[in-house]
Amino acid sequence: MAEPVVTIAVDGPAASGKGTLARRLADHFGLNHLDTGGLYRAVAVRVLRQGGDPADEASGETAAQNLETQDLEAPNLRAEEVGQAASIVSAHPKVRAALLIYQRDFAATPPGAVLDGRDIGTVVCPEAGAKIYLDASLETRAKRRVKELRLRGVESIESRVLQEMQDRDARDSGRAVAPLKAAEDALTMDTTDLSPDEVFDRALSYIAARLE
Ligand code: DC
């Protein structure tokens, strides 16, 4: 008999806590973890490295089709400007199509996976056994990102981080293909006033009930 595959979708905007939650859930359940934002970031890094324009769909499609594992190790993968460029390349339908098969294959590999991103519960894995959508106020998310950057030795101006995040949210939510939004059957959680442990505990109770 085929091994059962468990899929957990975690979606939300930047710094909503989805990466932290997805990693903890993957550890807890012994599942694989895929940070799908990293794929779009790696596509953006490839386009920028080749002197291309993230707004050009053909450059993005070629970069997505030629993506290699080592692209996910790019030292500037987490940089804010790469996040912006990733948000631009991710609006191209051909870039999304090129990355879709990889994400679905990853999810289908036993024992299953926790995938975090923007469209996991709605487009990539609409059949996921559990779907979680995290959000938090823009101010809180900007503060978290500034703190995270500081821990990496990067000083940043909070008002600028906030503005860039707002631009990115608008682009990611407003695009025609697979926009950022909660699946209708997702557990939605506002993490503004919650600790990572509280988010994890609530997610665990919900998943336990869903996967029973
Ligand atoms: O989660 P992140 O900040 O690393 O994502 C970078 C960008 O990638 C984000 O602004 C939009 C895009 N993205 C997407 O369109 N779909 C996903 N499933 C994940 C990320």
Side-chain angles (χ1 to χ4, degrees):
M1 215 165 67
E3 210 180 317
V5 169
V6 175
T7 309
I8 300 174
V10 183
D11 289 301
S16 55
K18 62 185 188 306
T20 304
L21 175 63
R23 273 188 298 276
R24 282 185 75 171
L25 289 175
D27 273 357
H28 181 84
F29 290 107
L31 298 171
N32 299 315
H33 170 234
L34 182 64
D35 159 18
T36 63
L39 300 175
Y40 291 96
R41 285 173 179 267
V43 170
V45 168
R46 263 190 105 101
V47 169
L48 295 173
R49 203 193 293 138
Q50 284 154 10
D53 178 0
D56 175 47
E57 182 158 21
S59 308
E61 185 187 21
T62 307
Q65 285 168 342
N66 293 305
L67 211 60
E68 292 168 3
T69 320
Q70 70 204 40
D71 291 324
L72 294 166
E73 314 288 320
N76 60 342
L77 198 72
R78 299 273 134 222
E80 284 302 283
E81 59 275 19
V82 169
Q84 290 291 343
S87 168
I88 296 170
V89 295
S90 71
H92 301 310
K94 287 180 179 162
V95 170
R96 303 201 74 83
L99 297 180
L100 189 60
I101 296 168
Y102 175 80
Q103 294 173 82
R104 286 194 175 149
D105 283 350
F106 188 96
T109 303
V114 183
L115 290 89
D116 71 83
R118 303 289 191 289
D119 63 335
I120 308 304
T122 52
V123 175
V124 178
C125 303
E127 309 298 332
K131 299 180 186 178
I132 299 168
Y133 184 89
L134 300 185
D135 206 348
S137 74
L138 181 62
E139 289 70 22
T140 298
R141 292 189 291 119
K143 280 195 169 60
R144 286 178 187 164
R145 186 47 54 85
V146 167
K147 202 168 147 194
E148 195 185 306
L149 288 167
R150 190 166 298 143
L151 284 174
R152 296 210 314 260
V154 181
E155 283 307 320
S156 52
I157 301 162
E158 193 174 313
S159 58
R160 202 169 137 200
V161 169
L162 188 143
Q163 184 60 56
E164 285 178 359
M165 220 171 232
Q166 199 166 26
D167 293 348
R168 199 138 74 89
D169 285 353
R171 200 182 298 112
D172 295 346
S173 310
R175 68 181 175 227
V177 186
L180 163 67
K181 70 167 183 219
E184 278 175 16
D185 52 349
L187 166 78
T188 60
M189 232 192 284
D190 184 332
T191 69
T192 306
D193 297 314
L194 297 178
S195 69
D197 283 349
E198 286 170 323
V199 174
F200 180 64
D201 289 344
R202 287 183 195 198
L204 273 190
S205 315
Y206 156 77
I207 293 168
R210 291 283 309 173
L211 301 183
E212 232 165 43

